[in-house]
Amino acid sequence: MLKSLKIIIPADKIKGSLNLELTMESKQFTNSNWKKVGKSYRKALKVDNKSIVGLEVKQHGSTDEPQLHVNVFYVDKKPENLDDFIMKKIFYEFGLSYNLDDVYNELKDDPVAKNLITEYKGLRLIRYFDVEECLITYQLSANTLISRLEQMLEALKQKLGLSFKFKDGLILNSFPTLEQILGLSLKKLYSCKLGYKAKFLLELAKKYSREKIDWKMLEKLNIREARRRLMMFPGVGLKVADAVLLYGLGRTETFPIDIWVRRAIVNLYGLSKELSYIKLQNFILEKFGKYSGYLTPYFFYHSRRMFKHQ
């Protein structure tokens, strides 16, 4: 029998402004990470190796006085420490513990940044609660359209994830681990619509099983060394490594640049289209330092609106 737990996170517990819809629509998460249903967002989440719950998040109140309503659905027996686990996840993923308004104060002296944060107020930098999920997602995202990426992630989840059925009949699957992917043959990975990326993902899973990444250490290492260690893994280039450092570990002193972010920076600052990744990145890092990463989703979302969705 399906049961539910309701958690309300009041405005005084959320530091700074929040626009949940804008944050979700910015595509820091794909529709495969969180599924939009009406004005709420859902996902299936493994609590431990056996337990799975359905999670639904909806914002009430305004951007300046946000309130989050979280519904957690489970079958029969409530998993142990579920309340604390969900609160930790929500605060972590949506960055509710960092004061976004304080970040804005650090960025507002730059005219471009000021315009972006004014237009997209409440857009928060997210973090993946599961860093492996972030690594898999961004490794598959390289040179891939978002719509195609979503198809690949969804196929992997249906092949390997646990299923959860909501009251209205919607079925969502949990995200697989690299250990689960390691258990698949290359042929089965090809059946997940991964194309040539199947080989790189399986190689990533194999290397990860031999040389586990010490994520806590990567949180503390200098950015160059942390990036270098990530780039030792198959299918992880400069941009993917930076994305994992930012969205997986919250290293806001880095600044991943894809085609959308590049277009925005070049257009808004009047820079040369020929500038290299490192030169563009250094341009932003010199301006914003440890706050650079907070602006990544702003440039990305602005560019996709300006140049139309792809």
Side-chain angles (χ1 to χ4, degrees), residues 134-168:
C134 183
L135 177 60
I136 293 168
T137 298
Y138 278 98
Q139 194 233 34
L140 291 175
S141 75
N143 302 311
T144 304
L145 298 177
I146 290 178
S147 58
R148 176 84 177 100
L149 173 63
E150 290 174 341
Q151 291 174 0
M152 291 190 287
L153 295 177
E154 198 56 43
L156 278 173
K157 289 168 69 174
Q158 289 181 15
K159 176 75 73 175
L160 296 169
L162 297 176
S163 296
F164 187 89
K165 187 175 182 179
F166 289 82
K167 287 182 179 180
D168 59 4

Side-chain angles (χ1 to χ4, degrees), residues 151-273:
Q151 291 174 0
M152 291 190 287
L153 295 177
E154 198 56 43
L156 278 173
K157 289 168 69 174
Q158 289 181 15
K159 176 75 73 175
L160 296 169
L162 297 176
S163 296
F164 187 89
K165 187 175 182 179
F166 289 82
K167 287 182 179 180
D168 59 4
L170 176 67
I171 298 175
L172 296 179
N173 295 280
S174 62
F175 205 90
T177 63
L178 283 168
E179 184 178 358
Q180 287 177 295
I181 290 168
L182 184 61
L184 292 183
S185 66
L186 188 57
K187 183 177 180 180
K188 287 186 178 179
L189 273 178
Y190 277 126
S191 72
C192 293
K193 307 175 183 177
L194 303 188
Y196 74 92
K197 291 178 180 290
K199 179 181 177 181
F200 290 108
L201 183 58
L202 187 57
E203 288 177 352
L204 173 65
K206 288 178 179 178
K207 187 174 177 66
Y208 188 82
S209 70
R210 297 192 305 267
E211 307 170 27
K212 281 279 178 30
I213 299 174
D214 186 339
W215 296 112
K216 292 294 183 184
M217 180 183 66
L218 289 190
E219 287 180 346
K220 300 173 183 177
L221 282 177
N222 70 69
I223 285 294
R224 285 188 179 182
E225 179 60 18
R227 182 192 290 137
R228 186 189 71 80
R229 296 198 183 196
L230 282 174
M231 289 173 64
M232 293 170 64
F233 285 81
V236 179
L238 194 55
K239 180 260 178 180
V240 172
D242 281 337
V244 173
L245 289 171
L246 177 63
Y247 295 113
L249 299 178
R251 300 293 300 266
T252 59
E253 70 273 39
T254 193
F255 187 81
I257 301 173
D258 67 358
I259 187 173
W260 297 104
V261 173
R262 170 180 284 276
R263 285 174 179 172
I265 297 171
V266 166
N267 181 272
L268 294 171
Y269 286 104
L271 302 177
S272 168
K273 295 179 181 179

